[in-house]
Amino acid sequence: MIGACGIVEAAPAAKGDFVTVNKTHFARKGQAYYIVGANFWYGGYLGAAGGVGERARLLKELDNMKAIGINNLRVLAVSEKTDMKSAVRPATTNAPGQYDEELLTGLDFLMAEVAKRDMTVVLYLNNFWQWSGGMTQYLNWFEGTPALDPNVTKDYDTYMQKTAGFYRNAAAQAEYRNVIAKIVKRVNTITGKPYAEDTHIMSWQLANEPRPGNGNATPEEKAVYVKWIDDVAGYIHSLDRNHLVSSGSEGLAGSAQDAQLYLDAHRTKNIDYLTYHLWPKNWSWFDSNNPTGSWDNAITKSRDYLNSHIELAKKLGKPIVLEEFGLDRDGPSFSIKSTTHIRDRFYREVFEIVATRAQKGDPIAGFNFWAWGGAGRAANADYWWKPGNDFVGDPPQEEQGLYSVFDSDVTSLVLIKEYADKLHAIKR
């Protein structure tokens, strides 16, 4: 129907049109739903009508992803303005309560176009890391402490320990809930559809890679973290009864290597499914300068990490999604001209485990690779992003081209399509 402002308003959706959990699997429209996904953090940015927006590129990217079987995108919903150089600019939140409506309309445009292609989206509402402002910027606003940039300090342990203070700061938590309500209760300015009624949103996600602190997190810090996940997930469900809620956790790597903590954090009824991430280079399992010598160690540990988390999901009786993984290009190089033989080999190993275990009926529900670079290209000789450059899969705190899958990476795209077909063929 047509609303008062001339916006086309859709009729309310049937519950079965939303992605739902059926024991240890997802369902949608009465059928099994397996995730063949890409991380596309900047999708809402491309959707903006002006400024950083590139709507023509966005349409092309969505079409190209759809063509290789991608049915799910993991997207940054909110960013926070910060002075840190390794953070994206502009931001959706310029200060507490001050929003960039142009960027929010960009998210509306993304959702409208995703719907046309019958894809789904996971929207994350915060970030443990600094590249979108995130929790450290909240602490800057409400404690007056400097927003920490580990790209500058090179001290990740201190960064993680201090950033976890976000969970305990009452003012930061109140503002965070204001932001959650702003997005979850938003009405799409293009379609007229409330986000809470949009069947193309799969899940609200608390944050990208929330952690309890660093690897030496105390029992008290762990307890605060578990309670925070339960409380915030419950709050989101109180605003929106239609959509799933997830944590955004990396798994054991983001849980101080504490399996009990990971289980406790995801046991609550307010968390509908588990997530985990796999980063063999970032975790020093793989040495890009010695790929032959480090491969066996990296792949052995990766296989164990992949499989052990599926077993943890079995314990909780919930689905699990491998929502981030990646490896760099051959060389190592950031250049789009470099080959991707090692990355393709790694992707195949990952895809094979996901597909094989899914076919057996295990609770692994799919994957999102990190990340879609598409038609974006690095603009600078040092490969570092600057405002005005193309957005690619690598956020500003990393070299542009580090983990991106570009539209010219033909062998990677063919491989993704091969396993997309296998997952889409599973009937349950």
Side-chain angles (χ1 to χ4, degrees):
M1 61 181 178
I2 306 296
C5 298
I7 295 172
V8 177
E9 297 178 347
K15 184 65 177 176
D17 291 341
F18 294 93
V19 179
T20 58
V21 169
N22 180 14
K23 297 181 180 178
T24 57
H25 301 91
F26 294 134
R28 184 169 184 255
K29 297 181 179 179
Q31 298 181 344
Y33 189 69
Y34 282 89
I35 303 304
V36 177
N39 278 276
F40 191 46
W41 65 267
Y42 55 95
Y45 277 75
L46 293 186
V52 297
E54 293 184 72
R55 288 185 168 180
R57 179 187 165 193
L58 175 60
L59 301 185
K60 177 182 176 182
E61 303 293 15
L62 293 175
D63 286 342
N64 286 345
M65 285 189 276
K66 178 75 173 179
I68 61 171
I70 290 172
N71 63 1
N72 180 263
L73 307 174
R74 185 166 173 262
V75 174
L76 176 72
V78 184
S79 53
E80 295 76 32
K81 185 177 181 180
T82 181
D83 292 333
M84 293 182 290
K85 290 184 178 180
S86 63
V88 66
R89 291 170 173 73
T92 54
T93 309
N94 291 315
Q98 298 178 21
Y99 304 101
D100 185 326
E101 186 58 32
E102 188 171 86
L103 284 181
L104 291 177
T105 303
L107 192 62
D108 294 345
F109 185 83
L110 170 69
M111 293 309 307
E113 293 300 322
V114 160
K116 292 177 184 178
R117 294 158 179 82
D118 200 28
M119 302 164 86
T120 62
V121 175
V122 173
L123 291 172
Y124 49 103
L125 298 159
N126 208 327
N127 198 344
F128 190 77
W129 305 111
Q130 83 280 13
W131 59 261
S132 61
M135 297 178 188
T136 189
Q137 182 55 42
Y138 272 89
L139 291 176
N140 172 248
W141 285 336
F142 294 103
E143 288 187 351
T145 51
L148 293 174
D149 188 345
N151 271 34
V152 175
T153 66
K154 310 300 182 186
D155 184 354
Y156 277 87
D157 273 350
T158 298
Y159 174 86
M160 290 185 281
Q161 192 272 328
K162 289 191 174 180
T163 298
F166 167 78
Y167 310 129
R168 298 186 297 272
N169 185 291
Q173 290 305 304
E175 179 58 25
Y176 173 47
R177 291 194 180 206
N178 289 341
V179 172
I180 290 171
K182 174 78 174 178
I183 302 299
V184 174
K185 296 167 71 173
R186 182 174 176 82
V187 175
N188 191 308
T189 58
I190 293 168
T191 65
K193 183 186 289 292
Y195 274 43
E197 296 177 12
D198 189 341
T199 59
H200 296 91
I201 294 174
M202 172 181 153
S203 171
W204 299 111
Q205 194 159 93
L206 273 58
N208 177 55
E209 300 193 332
R211 291 186 170 195
N214 59 30
N216 297 312
T218 65
E220 179 188 9
E221 288 172 328
K222 292 177 180 179
V224 166
Y225 173 73
V226 169
K227 186 176 186 302
W228 174 79
I229 288 177
D230 186 28
D231 287 351
V232 177
Y235 175 67
I236 295 173
H237 277 302
S238 76
L239 300 175
D240 176 0
R241 300 292 184 184
N242 290 321
H243 290 108
L244 305 178
V245 176
S246 53
S247 69
S249 171
E250 301 151 90
L252 294 186
S255 306
Q257 299 298 333
D258 183 343
Q260 190 60 51
L261 172 61
Y262 180 65
L263 290 170
D264 290 345
H266 295 84
R267 191 183 311 279
T268 168
K269 70 180 188 306
N270 292 320
I271 292 292
D272 295 293
Y273 65 96
L274 286 67
T275 61
Y276 68 133
H277 302 175
L278 175 63
W279 290 106
K281 177 177 178 174
N282 294 8
W283 301 341
S284 301
W285 298 351
F286 180 75
D287 181 356
S288 300
N289 293 302
N290 181 24
T292 302
S294 61
W295 173 262
D296 287 348
N297 175 65
I299 208 63
T300 297
K301 289 184 175 179
S302 294
R303 288 170 180 159
D304 178 68
Y305 197 82
L306 290 168
N307 286 311
S308 64
H309 283 75
I310 298 172
E311 297 307 311
L312 291 171
K314 279 185 181 180
K315 289 185 177 183
L316 294 184
K318 297 182 180 183
I320 187 168
V321 177
L322 176 67
E323 62 171 21
E324 283 189 22
F325 60 93
L327 206 62
D328 50 353
R329 307 175 76 89
D330 299 336
S333 173
F334 308 121
S335 171
I336 198 167
K337 297 178 181 178
S338 59
T339 56
T340 59
H341 299 309
I342 298 170
R343 183 180 73 192
D344 291 346
R345 186 181 176 192
F346 172 67
Y347 269 32
R348 183 173 290 279
E349 289 274 358
V350 172
F351 291 158
E352 188 63 27
I353 288 174
V354 171
T356 299
R357 298 211 58 176
Q359 289 163 348
K360 290 178 180 177
D362 288 328
I364 181 68
F367 64 80
N368 298 76
F369 64 85
W370 186 282
W372 184 261
R377 297 294 185 265
N380 305 307
D382 63 1
Y383 293 97
W384 288 101
W385 184 84
K386 296 180 178 64
N389 294 165
D390 285 353
F391 292 115
V392 300
D394 309 290
Q397 98 288 9
E398 294 177 330
E399 296 92 342
Q400 306 295 278
L402 177 63
Y403 293 126
S404 288
V405 176
F406 294 105
D407 57 6
S408 54
D409 292 339
V410 176
T411 56
S412 300
L413 301 178
V414 168
L415 185 61
I416 292 165
K417 177 67 164 61
E418 176 186 342
Y419 281 89
D421 290 345
K422 290 185 178 183
L423 284 175
H424 293 324
I426 299 174
K427 307 297 181 186
R428 197 148 315 282

